[in-house]
Amino acid sequence: MKRFLTLASVVVAALAASAALAAPSAAPTRTPGTLVVGFGDPAVGFAVGTVRGSTIKNPKGYEVDLSKAIAKQLGIGTINYIYTPWAKLFAPGTKDFDISFQEATITAARKKTVDFSTPYLNANQGVLISKKAAAPKSLSDLKQLQTCAQTDTTGLDYIQTRLHPAKKPLIYQTTTAAFTAVQIGRCEALVLDVPIVALQKKSKPAAYGPVAGQIVTKEQYGAVMQKGSKLKPMVNAAITKLTKNKTIAKLQKKWFNLNFAAIPTLK
């Protein structure tokens, strides 16, 4: 009997080991079984919710649905949404989120301090005009306007390193402040990602002039993670699968429903 029990124990142990090897490994999140997702300033169509302290309640948008789809792929059932200021997003050091979605363009400079996921959206820079300004027909026209941008954005970098406008650009810490400046006419032309300005204009059509054009920069958005994140391979695999099975395309159609390609190109 003793020998039989010993043999049975060996079989049970072998089956348990086999099951463990077959089961997917748990996602290496900050808290086991929970995905902490960071969002920044409200972005129409992307992520809008109620900020209470450091948490975000009832967020809605493309990036919110995308985070849920990724969590499902990772086998995670609980998601906590937190507010993460844009100005601190690319700072080196420990992050208080597992992954952050803030329409962040993947750049070599930013990769020095954070990790990015594989891209989940392509974008160019857009030009949102104040109702008090004449819409530019070319980049030469744009140079003559009072431009503005949000700090640490590729839009600001474009203005400063490539556009070289006649007037020094106004710089704002948040997208909300930048949109307000356009609305009151302090800023004549905001240079910011096409999807962001186009969706803002769609949500408040009477507040601004037109989205006068786009500047071809061929940027790609990636989710931000702490440098060296062990979660990155799993997130990349999830986004790749969601791209191939058309989930991402369906979410973009659901939340955007705009033909960004129809916006004229400024040259």
Side-chain angles (χ1 to χ4, degrees):
M1 178 65 73
K2 184 176 180 180
R3 183 178 179 183
F4 175 77
L5 289 174
T6 301
L7 180 61
S9 298
V10 170
V11 172
V12 170
L15 290 174
S18 176
L21 290 173
S25 58
T29 53
R30 291 167 55 86
T31 301
T34 298
L35 185 68
V36 179
V37 179
F39 292 125
D41 300 326
V44 175
F46 285 93
V48 176
T50 302
V51 178
R52 294 180 179 172
S54 61
T55 63
I56 300 177
K57 301 294 184 181
N58 303 316
K60 297 178 181 180
Y62 167 59
E63 290 174 328
V64 178
D65 282 359
L66 179 57
S67 71
K68 293 177 180 178
I70 290 173
K72 184 177 180 180
Q73 291 294 317
L74 299 181
I76 297 174
T78 303
I79 306 177
N80 291 339
Y81 296 105
I82 66 172
Y83 176 74
T84 303
W86 172 264
K88 296 181 180 180
L89 185 60
F90 307 112
T94 303
K95 304 299 182 185
D96 55 1
F97 54 77
D98 292 303
I99 186 170
S100 181
F101 295 89
Q102 294 200 41
E103 308 87 61
T105 296
I106 301 169
T107 69
R110 292 171 177 174
K111 282 184 177 180
K112 293 178 181 179
T113 55
V114 299
D115 276 349
F116 282 98
S117 71
T118 193
Y120 63 88
L121 185 71
N122 298 327
N124 288 320
Q125 287 299 303
V127 181
L128 178 64
I129 301 299
S130 164
K131 292 172 68 175
K132 300 179 181 180
K137 302 298 183 182
S138 65
L139 293 177
S140 295
D141 291 343
L142 180 59
K143 289 182 180 181
Q144 305 309 311
L145 298 178
Q146 175 60 71
T147 59
C148 68
Q150 185 180 1
T151 187
D152 296 327
T153 59
T154 49
L156 177 59
D157 181 69
Y158 177 85
I159 292 174
Q160 294 177 327
T161 65
R162 298 177 64 182
L163 184 64
H164 302 298
K167 301 176 184 178
K168 186 177 180 179
L170 302 175
I171 303 174
Y172 297 96
Q173 292 295 311
T174 66
T175 51
T176 301
F179 283 131
T180 298
V182 177
Q183 187 170 348
I184 65 178
R186 181 174 297 155
C187 169
E188 294 180 306
L190 169 62
V191 180
L192 192 63
D193 304 17
V194 165
I196 298 175
V197 295
L199 291 167
Q200 180 71 12
K201 168 65 177 179
K202 180 182 178 181
S203 70
K204 295 183 177 180
Y208 315 98
V211 177
Q214 62 179 310
I215 303 163
V216 177
T217 52
K218 297 182 180 180
E219 300 175 36
Q220 294 182 309
Y221 292 168
V224 176
M225 290 167 278
Q226 183 172 315
K227 191 69 176 176
S229 172
K230 295 180 180 179
L231 192 62
K232 179 178 176 178
M234 299 181 74
V235 171
N236 285 350
I239 291 177
T240 298
K241 183 174 181 179
L242 294 170
T243 299
K244 289 182 178 179
N245 67 16
K246 308 298 183 182
T247 296
I248 283 181
K250 291 176 182 177
L251 292 179
Q252 290 176 3
K253 183 177 182 180
K254 171 186 175 181
W255 288 104
F256 301 158
N257 197 27
L258 282 176
N259 181 11
F260 301 129
I263 299 172
T265 300
L266 296 180
K267 299 179 180 180

